[in-house]
Amino acid sequence: MSIEVTRDKAIGTIRIARPEKLNAMTLAMYDALGQAFVELRDDPEIRVVVLTGAGERSFCAGADLTESIPALASDRFDISAWDPAHLKGVAFYKPIVCAINGLCIGAGFEIMLATDIRIAAEGAQFQLPEPSMGFVPAGGTLVRLVRQIGYAPAMEILLTARRFSAVQMKAAGVINQIVPAAEVEKTAFAVAEEIARLSSSAVQTIKEAVLTLQDLPLDEAFAAEAVIGQRTFTSEDARKGLSAFAARVRA
């Protein structure tokens, strides 16, 4: 399937593993990626997910031009079938750290936008080339990008089909860190381990709130935030955390 899933204690790893084709996504790989997300979401031992690509040449160079794109162009395939791979309509509240080497183009860019923290190699390159070929990036990008980074920078990326450097993407707010290529996965796993040491219920509740409250009117969002917050204050994790804090203060 060219999608590899591994586990190491509380961290699950999904690797797009078709390096000979720059990790371009086939139809089967989209299915497998969606299944991998659901599998790790439902694994109670997994607290954080790292998403990466095999090799240093490419995170993901997009949809396979010999299969996936022709299927869409023939109108015999519904792009919504890829929703699980793009985490569209999927309640996935475990944090996802994305490790990006090389090319992050088209579908790769779209999949990256479904993650939470993004670590890129110094030489990584980013592009949404779809307008140059007569179609659009409809794997969540038309909705997500402008909400994540704002109108003007999003429209420059979307409308020009230009290729951007890691430095430009960090300035735009698309990625979080830039590191040498050899350090990308090491850095991503360090971030994942840092998060995994925190309260799993608190971390997942934060992500749930951010994803579900952003489109509510302000008063409704604040009211829902209070309900969500109260849920964590009365949790077992909070009881243990407050007890540990009180013990340190007394000491």
Side-chain angles (χ1 to χ4, degrees):
M1 287 292 188
S2 300
I3 300 293
E4 299 174 352
V5 179
T6 56
R7 296 168 172 80
D8 184 9
K9 298 178 182 177
I11 298 174
T13 302
I14 300 175
R15 191 178 303 277
I16 305 171
R18 197 185 176 210
E20 72 282 1
K21 295 294 184 181
L22 300 177
N23 298 325
M25 298 287 291
T26 64
L27 295 176
M29 288 169 69
Y30 276 107
D31 290 340
L33 180 58
Q35 291 167 12
F37 280 131
V38 172
E39 179 183 325
L40 293 180
R41 181 197 65 184
D42 295 343
D43 185 335
E45 300 300 316
I46 297 301
R47 291 170 170 253
V48 186
V49 173
V50 172
L51 174 66
T52 190
E56 293 190 2
R57 296 172 62 205
S58 180
F59 165 66
C60 174
D64 190 310
L65 293 176
T66 65
E67 182 191 38
S68 299
I69 297 300
L72 290 171
S74 69
D75 205 25
R76 62 181 173 85
F77 184 81
D78 183 351
I79 195 173
S80 65
W82 294 349
D83 283 1
H86 293 119
L87 293 179
K88 293 167 62 177
V90 177
F92 194 103
Y93 301 135
K94 294 179 180 181
I96 305 173
V97 182
C98 190
I100 306 154
N101 257 320
L103 301 176
C104 183
I105 293 176
F109 196 115
E110 299 205 281
I111 293 166
M112 174 196 66
L113 289 182
T115 68
D116 304 300
I117 297 176
R118 301 146 193 177
I119 314 299
E122 291 169 332
Q125 298 181 62
F126 302 79
Q127 185 180 21
L128 290 170
E130 287 84 350
S132 67
M133 294 178 278
F135 50 96
V136 302
T141 296
L142 299 176
V143 175
R144 285 184 171 126
L145 188 59
V146 71
R147 299 181 186 210
Q148 291 182 8
I149 68 170
Y151 186 84
M155 295 306 280
E156 182 179 10
I157 296 166
L158 286 164
L159 295 177
T160 65
R162 193 184 303 152
R163 189 168 291 195
F164 295 87
S165 69
V167 171
Q168 289 172 309
M169 288 294 93
K170 188 174 187 298
V174 175
I175 61 174
N176 298 84
Q177 293 187 50
I178 303 172
V179 299
E183 299 293 318
V184 170
E185 286 198 23
K186 178 181 177 181
T187 304
F189 279 103
V191 172
E193 289 164 2
E194 181 181 5
I195 296 171
R197 288 192 291 268
L198 304 175
S199 161
S200 181
S201 63
V203 165
Q204 291 188 47
T205 301
I206 288 169
K207 181 171 176 179
E208 176 189 356
V210 169
L211 293 181
T212 59
L213 303 185
Q214 60 184 325
D215 295 324
L216 295 178
L218 204 56
D219 288 346
E220 291 181 29
F222 284 144
E225 180 190 48
V227 172
I228 289 171
Q230 186 61 30
R231 190 174 78 200
T232 64
F233 284 119
T234 57
S235 70
E236 181 65 13
D237 278 1
R239 186 190 67 78
K240 292 178 180 177
L242 290 171
S243 295
F245 177 77
R248 289 195 298 272
V249 171
R250 286 195 297 270

